[in-house]
Amino acid sequence: MEALTVFQKIYKLNNRGATKPFPVSGLMIRPKDDEVKNRPSHSSSRSQRFINQLTQALVPLKQLFVRPLASRSVVLVIIFFCISFGYYGLWMWFPELFKRAEDGGSPCANMSRAQNAENEKCYPVKTAVYMEGFITAASNLPGNIFTILLMDRIGGKILLSVSLLVSGVSVFVIYVVKTKTQSLIVSCVFSGVSVISWNALDVVGTELYPTQLRSSALGVFTGVGRVAAIMGNVVFGQLVDSSCAVPLLMVCVLLLAGGLAALWLPQTKQTQLT
């Protein structure tokens, strides 16, 4: 009987989900009805496994918005939205603003200019806009060097707040400049200062969370930033011709709001990470 019991167990393990009886010495031993009824099907077990994996993946996201991490998570969501909306929205439209400054003396001077029905000539190619874009991009280098030298001395929180506030002021100045050279200088200031904000945000965003939640936190905030960047590009594209001042002032306000929100973050300077 003990050998028969072993054979029955082997048969059940090798024929899960089957209702075929187990033959022994001419006898037909059929599984019990309740065993067949309670045995999960292959499709239901797969869906249940997927639900369990999804639930486990959402656990770290829930922990980000539970005390004591909830307040800092909300503040970082605001900061990521503000800086992504302003930086990517304005950066993409810098060439257009430079072109308008070259034509009318100010980035918003010729915003109501009637559009020509005829296609503009492509030759000769005007390389000034590309050179100005290169100079603006190169202005990131001093900001990166500044961050390397002062991150550990000042702390990421102070660098983040101050750089966001200065970036907001520089965007407002873009609206009031009158010459192409002034527009280029202010754009370089915005580029050099805003990169400090990004560097400080990358440091602070990871230092504020324990090791097991850092990847999840960075993923959430990066997703918020991507959505804000798309919104910034769309808003600039819709308003740059009709009301050039509106997107500039909007970016200015958002960057200033992000700088003030950064003051609510905990200080991470010279603190031990967990």
Side-chain angles (χ1 to χ4, degrees):
M1 287 302 296
E2 293 181 0
L4 179 61
T5 304
V6 172
F7 287 140
Q8 289 178 352
K9 290 182 180 180
I10 295 174
Y11 180 82
K12 291 179 181 179
L13 292 175
N14 294 332
N15 297 275
R16 288 184 176 179
T19 58
K20 186 177 179 180
F22 175 70
V24 178
S25 301
L27 299 177
M28 304 297 285
I29 303 177
R30 185 178 298 276
K32 297 180 180 179
D33 294 338
D34 56 347
E35 291 181 358
V36 176
K37 187 181 299 183
N38 296 331
R39 185 178 298 157
S41 64
H42 184 65
S43 58
S44 62
S45 62
R46 180 179 298 179
S47 60
Q48 185 64 34
R49 194 182 310 117
F50 173 77
I51 294 175
N52 292 336
Q53 292 176 352
L54 182 61
T55 304
Q56 293 176 0
L58 293 177
V59 169
L61 303 184
K62 294 179 181 179
Q63 294 178 358
L64 295 177
F65 296 95
V66 177
R67 291 184 178 181
L69 303 177
S71 58
R72 64 187 67 179
S73 297
V74 173
V75 172
L76 284 174
V77 166
I78 295 173
I79 295 174
F80 265 92
F81 182 88
C82 293
I83 189 174
S84 299
F85 184 98
Y87 180 83
Y88 289 107
L90 184 60
W91 186 267
M92 184 175 183
W93 289 94
F94 264 148
E96 176 66 19
L97 299 179
F98 286 144
K99 185 175 183 298
R100 295 185 177 194
E102 183 178 5
D103 295 340
S106 175
C108 295
N110 56 344
M111 64 179 183
S112 58
R113 180 182 60 183
Q115 299 293 330
N116 261 339
E118 300 179 358
N119 293 331
E120 296 184 0
K121 294 182 179 180
C122 297
Y123 296 97
V125 178
K126 298 180 179 179
T127 60
V129 174
Y130 301 102
M131 180 57 67
E132 291 159 358
F134 172 77
I135 295 174
T136 305
S139 62
N140 285 339
L141 183 58
N144 287 317
I145 296 175
F146 184 85
T147 306
I148 295 173
L149 296 177
L150 296 181
M151 176 63 72
D152 292 330
R153 297 182 181 181
I154 299 178
K157 174 183 175 180
I158 301 300
L159 275 180
L160 177 61
S161 179
V162 173
S163 58
L164 283 173
L165 294 175
V166 176
S167 298
V169 174
S170 64
V171 172
F172 177 78
V173 176
I174 292 176
Y175 172 69
V176 300
V177 296
K178 299 300 181 183
T179 65
K180 177 182 176 181
T181 303
Q182 292 175 352
S183 178
L184 179 60
I185 293 174
V186 174
S187 301
C188 290
V189 172
F190 170 77
S191 178
V193 175
S194 59
V195 75
I196 299 176
S197 303
W198 282 112
N199 294 336
L201 189 57
D202 291 338
V203 173
V204 173
T206 55
E207 289 181 345
L208 289 176
Y209 294 94
T211 304
Q212 67 271 17
L213 295 178
R214 285 174 189 162
S215 299
S216 301
L218 187 60
V220 171
F221 301 143
T222 302
V224 172
R226 292 295 178 266
V227 174
I230 296 173
M231 293 177 60
N233 288 324
V234 172
V235 170
F236 253 87
Q238 294 294 327
L239 298 178
V240 72
D241 285 327
S242 59
S243 302
C244 178
V246 173
L248 290 177
L249 294 177
M250 186 182 301
V251 170
C252 175
V253 171
L254 285 175
L255 291 176
L256 293 176
L260 295 176
L263 297 176
W264 292 90
L265 293 174
Q267 181 62 261
T268 59
K269 177 185 176 182
Q270 303 298 332
T271 57
Q272 185 176 2
L273 301 180
T274 57

